[in-house]
Amino acid sequence: MNELITVVSRTIGDEHVQTVNARDLHSFLEVSKDFSDWIKVQLGEMFAQGIDFEVFPLKGENSTRPRIEYALTLECAKHVAMMSRCAKGKQVRDYFIECERRAKAVDPMQMLGDPAAMRGLLLTYTEKVLVLESKVAEQAPKVEALERIATANGSLCVTDAAKALQESPKRFFAWLQQIHWIYRRAGTSSWLGYQEKVQAGFLEHKVTEVSRSDGSEKLVEQVRVTPKGLTRLAHILASN
């Protein structure tokens, strides 16, 4: 089958997939509507960036302002083609199906003797490495800050721990109870840490002196979050 639209391998999200340039598809389908308006309507809310398509800037030779290009997965492109409701739409859909079939039929060992295929593969993995390096660089300050916290001395009361993690103290207490970090004994108002969290070094208990409403003092046992516990909670919150 003659090449109707150029199909190239790109990384979308975490996957290496075959893609087509949406502008090439727009041109092949001979759509009269302006591309920027057309592509927004076609993608709508049905397709998600990073899964079905990716956006990338392409700087022209005579322009300082890059234009926005869209790389569509073949599955996304097939849907867009069929939505065009024209003879070319079915033609290009069949073409994409054939491209997928050929890609699945390629023997990886054959690529070793194909310089163009190897070059494309290397460029793809180079692109992945650059994305990962960028993510690592972005996360480095946060990781360093958490490491400093984990090795610090002292501990925080639950209210101060909530503030340190930028959480509402009321919701934070309820959340710690929900994930089985703290609990109350029946008939008491003081919070205690579960023994397994204390043994893990996430929580500790300290006897604290507090003032009564009449001005007298009393000693109470208070659960506190250790630096190690604060780091752990930060990771849990980030993953959620």
Side-chain angles (χ1 to χ4, degrees):
M1 181 181 289
N2 294 330
E3 186 176 69
L4 302 182
I5 301 174
T6 302
V7 176
V8 298
S9 296
R10 289 185 67 92
T11 299
I12 294 185
D14 294 327
E15 292 190 52
H16 179 58
V17 296
Q18 290 181 301
T19 68
V20 298
N21 187 300
R23 204 176 292 273
D24 292 343
L25 180 60
H26 174 266
S27 176
F28 180 83
L29 294 173
E30 298 178 351
V31 179
S32 58
K33 194 171 185 178
D34 179 72
F35 172 76
S36 59
D37 295 329
W38 173 80
I39 191 61
K40 290 174 184 176
V41 171
Q42 297 304 312
L43 297 179
E45 297 181 357
M46 183 178 296
F47 299 103
Q49 185 175 348
I51 298 176
D52 304 298
F53 69 92
E54 194 54 81
V55 178
F56 60 97
L58 185 65
K59 190 173 181 179
E61 294 180 1
N62 301 318
S63 173
T64 56
R65 182 180 180 183
R67 72 182 187 184
I68 300 300
E69 298 290 350
Y70 294 78
L72 312 180
T73 64
L74 291 193
E75 196 61 38
C76 176
K78 281 190 290 184
H79 177 85
V80 171
M82 291 306 295
M83 288 297 289
S84 64
R85 303 177 188 278
C86 65
K88 283 198 169 187
K90 185 178 184 305
Q91 182 185 3
V92 78
R93 174 183 173 275
D94 293 341
Y95 165 71
F96 290 149
I97 291 174
E98 176 64 14
C99 287
E100 288 178 318
R101 187 194 67 78
R102 291 188 179 187
K104 291 177 182 178
V106 170
D107 183 352
M109 295 304 295
Q110 293 179 358
M111 296 181 68
L112 295 176
D114 185 344
M118 287 300 296
R119 185 165 55 251
L121 191 62
L122 288 171
L123 286 173
T124 296
Y125 280 97
T126 300
E127 188 177 85
K128 277 190 174 183
V129 169
L130 290 173
V131 170
L132 289 173
E133 286 180 346
S134 175
K135 288 183 178 179
V136 169
E138 181 183 340
Q139 293 295 325
K142 296 178 183 178
V143 172
E144 185 180 349
L146 288 174
E147 287 179 347
R148 285 201 303 269
I149 292 173
T151 56
N153 293 320
S155 59
L156 297 174
C157 68
V158 176
T159 299
D160 288 342
K163 293 176 181 177
L165 294 171
Q166 299 181 358
E167 296 290 329
S168 161
K170 184 178 180 180
R171 288 200 300 269
F172 192 65
F173 271 100
W175 179 62
L176 289 182
Q177 185 180 22
Q178 181 185 346
I179 64 174
H180 301 293
W181 275 53
I182 61 175
Y183 69 98
R184 276 176 173 158
R185 290 198 184 101
T188 65
S189 59
S190 298
W191 290 99
L192 298 171
Y194 278 94
Q195 188 61 29
E196 62 181 82
K197 297 300 185 289
V198 174
Q199 290 178 341
F202 297 147
L203 299 174
E204 66 177 6
H205 292 105
K206 282 191 174 182
V207 176
T208 307
E209 190 178 81
V210 297
S211 300
R212 293 190 177 95
S213 57
D214 61 4
S216 61
E217 303 291 333
K218 71 172 181 176
L219 297 178
V220 296
E221 188 178 20
Q222 182 186 56
V223 62
R224 298 176 68 87
V225 182
T226 67
K228 183 179 178 181
L230 197 64
T231 304
R232 178 60 179 161
L233 290 171
H235 280 299
I236 296 173
L237 288 169
S239 65
N240 290 338

